[in-house]
Amino acid sequence: MCWERLADARKHLEAAAVAFAAERDTLAGLRCEYALLLLGFSESAQLELVPAFLALAERLEQHAAPGEAFQARLQAALLLDTQGNASKAEAILAALEPALESVPPLVRARWCYARGAVAGSRSDFPAAEALLAQAQRQFVRMRAAVDQGKCWFQRAWVALQHEQVNIARDRYHQAEQIFNRLDLPLRRAFCNRGMGLLYTRIGAYDEALQRQLAALSAFTALARTVDTGICQLNLGNIYLYAGWWDLAQAHYTRALELFDRAGSVGWRIKAQRNRALAYTRQGQHAKAEPLLHEVIDHARHDHDRGLMAEALTSLAELLAERGVYEAAITRFEQARRLYLAIDAPLGQADSAMGQAWLMLEHGQRAEAEALFGFAAPLVEHHPYNHWRVQHGLARCAELRGDPATALVHYRTASTIVAGLRGRLAHEAASSTLFEQAAHLHADSLRCAASAGVLADLLEFGELQRALVLQGALTSHPLESPATHRAELDLLQAQIAALQDSGPPADDSQAQALDDALARYAERLLYARASARPASQPDTVLPRLSFNLGQLRSQLNAAYQSDWSALVYMRSDDMLLLVAISPDQLVLERIADDPALQYMIERAALPKFQIYTYRDLPYLRGNSSQRWAIPSALAELLIPAHVRARLHPQHHLLIVPLGQLHALPWAALRLDNQWLAERAIIQLVPALTVWQGPAAQPDPGSVQALLIGCRKFGNRAPALPAVAAELAMVSALWPGTYRRLEDEQATRAALLEISASGELARYRVVHVATHAQLVPMRGVTAHLKLWDQDLWLAEVASLRLGGALVVLSACDGAGTHALPGDEVLSLSWALLAAGAAGVLASLWPVNDQAAREFMELFYTALCNHGDAGRALAEAQRQMIAGTPGAAAAEPWLWGSFVLIGTRP
């Protein structure tokens, strides 16, 4: 049992109990019963074991075994503390104190340890540290290794409450070393959970997920209900910090169910406190307020100052959002006094920061700045709080007319947020975290623009752009280990079945789809987090960085100084455009008003594209100007000084934002010409991606991979023209090629080619099939292969080696843009997989026009190897075709876009 081989222990103990009963050895039988209760504690820690321990203690005393009765009561106290009933545990330990001198030294040391653990649970951290250190010294003298490890573990938790992050980490490692050396799986699970909590506090969310999931798996296997619930609570906290409210609430609900099942009142109250905080952040005050009052009542009854301070801080936040200023200020101050009394620095900083923001909103700049200054050193190791304090200091500096200092604070805050987002290798999670910092981002852009510091403006924009893609291009491929693959496949099948059943018949069917999508998103995040190599929690993840001078040098070398770059950002109600050329940096401000939004919708949304690119307003007499929307957008989105530089061989790089990702830029209209005729256009996810270490194909490689599917069973209509298209490409391609056609083009075959490394050898990968991206459900985007669909996450996990990928598929360039400029798109997934560029269409194009375009494109590409130039030449030839011919319409050639990370 000490070795935590619980099943074997039970077998031997039950056999011993039978033998002692046969011998009528009552005391030995009671000792065996005590061991079985201890075993039950290790197996499940259920609250109903407490009366059993106390009843056994009475019987042991009746049989003249007071020392063993003492130990039974001690275990009852520890179990109560584990269940979150610290006050009852403390009462039992106090009652045992007079008998301390009559028990062995090891038992006395364990009593001291239990007092320390309970003191920590009651937020009396100085007493907890002193008692635990005293117990540890005794365990060292007695060479009680397991007990030493338990002390290291508890002292790590106490250090974490004092914000002594490095000390806490070292103590957790000390405990982990002991438990690993002794091969104790249950204790390892406790260490994983504790380290997961530490990693959450310091913003290492990927490490936190790995640790909490390992602990959850172990506790679930052991049926330890409360410990499983604590893991669910901790997972909910990760999502709370990330702003993924629905998932946070789902985990809190699971935790509550487990705590209710176990009868753990203390932990149930903690879960209610966190649910209230999540509801407050969501603006659901009516749900949050009664939960907070329940927590306050419990804290008052239990004399728990730490819990009371946390509840008062949450209540103050709620009152502040309701506009009840004086009451909110009072609650913040009450909370800070309580945090000061229990020596909880992070709590002090949290309440001070909340009060400071409230004062700042009410014009009390000097008072707010003093509070932010007080909080700043206390949150240095806690990025979730640190960036908010830095944001507050930046706003204060701006208000007192010091933009230089403000920009320093904005840079610090923005860098912290980018680091936190970089820990979440999932577009939705990165985006929800960005939404919490959206005001910071808008403020930093506005400040830099107002100060005219355009280098800072570009840097702030790049800090928060396409971070999941950037992570994939540095050292963290978006892979999902095989251990998660079966579960992800099952969820994909469920989602596909729900989508294929047509429009939801009722709310329950729609909710079922939403629930399945949420589970899939969460499991995908788990899978990607578990695929990352373990690192120290304070390690800064490698990411791409923006350097304007380096960017200009790279572009000058690639395009002989004949280039321009347009970078779009948004701050409040303004669209900010920075135009970069070899010798200029110019800021343009565009009013992001309803008129602009109307035109972008008509130009970018699928339901309006025929209306715009067949010029139906003019043809129907609703507009006096031909191509009114493409012309007006070009006038607004492309500055005059950039238009003056354009000519057919000029390279125009565009870094879009939001719906601008779905805009067919080539089909904007300038001075009676299309933009495709005036420049060579390439979309770029981010400037940092362009200048980063993206994969490069072997310069000597002339291999191509041609993939095509004509039939899909009942999953999609047939594509009879695919065979002719592949034949055309293979006839034009000057090098060697491999064709995977129809039954050879399976999901398993493509994944195998990727895993073997073969996929990384190709210079061009041409894919002719169906593609699908459902608006607002970008995570379900997929390529249809002969037997199955290859989903977005699997596309991103492919191992390309810098190839140009040509997606001859409808919706191949379709996008679902999320906050923080995270984009769900098959094109972006291929870039994450290592493609240097992706040529695809924004909407379906008929077979004849698509084949004509592909033939023109490959003819040009094989002549000179420049994909951007080949795209422009193919579009220009279609424009210059027979006047009035269908192929000359922007509806056909305008849908093709090139997005890339390299020239």
Side-chain angles (χ1 to χ4, degrees), residues 519-541:
R519 287 196 303 274
Y520 179 74
E522 183 180 21
R523 290 297 158 184
L524 184 58
L525 176 60
Y526 288 174
R528 288 178 176 176
S530 65
R532 287 188 168 186
S535 63
Q536 291 297 322
D538 53 357
T539 299
V540 177
L541 291 178

Side-chain angles (χ1 to χ4, degrees), residues 365 369 393 395-402 405 409:
R365 196 268 310 160
E369 193 161 15
L393 289 169
R395 288 290 296 123
C396 290
E398 267 194 284
L399 290 171
R400 60 179 163 79
D402 186 358
T405 299
H409 290 301

Side-chain angles (χ1 to χ4, degrees), residues 324-357:
V324 188
Y325 176 76
E326 295 295 341
I329 292 292
T330 299
R331 297 296 184 276
F332 278 129
E333 291 175 345
Q334 290 174 340
R336 193 159 71 258
R337 286 195 294 271
L338 284 172
Y339 282 127
L340 181 63
I342 63 174
D343 192 20
L346 183 60
Q348 296 173 47
D350 203 30
S351 54
M353 179 175 61
Q355 184 176 347
W357 274 111

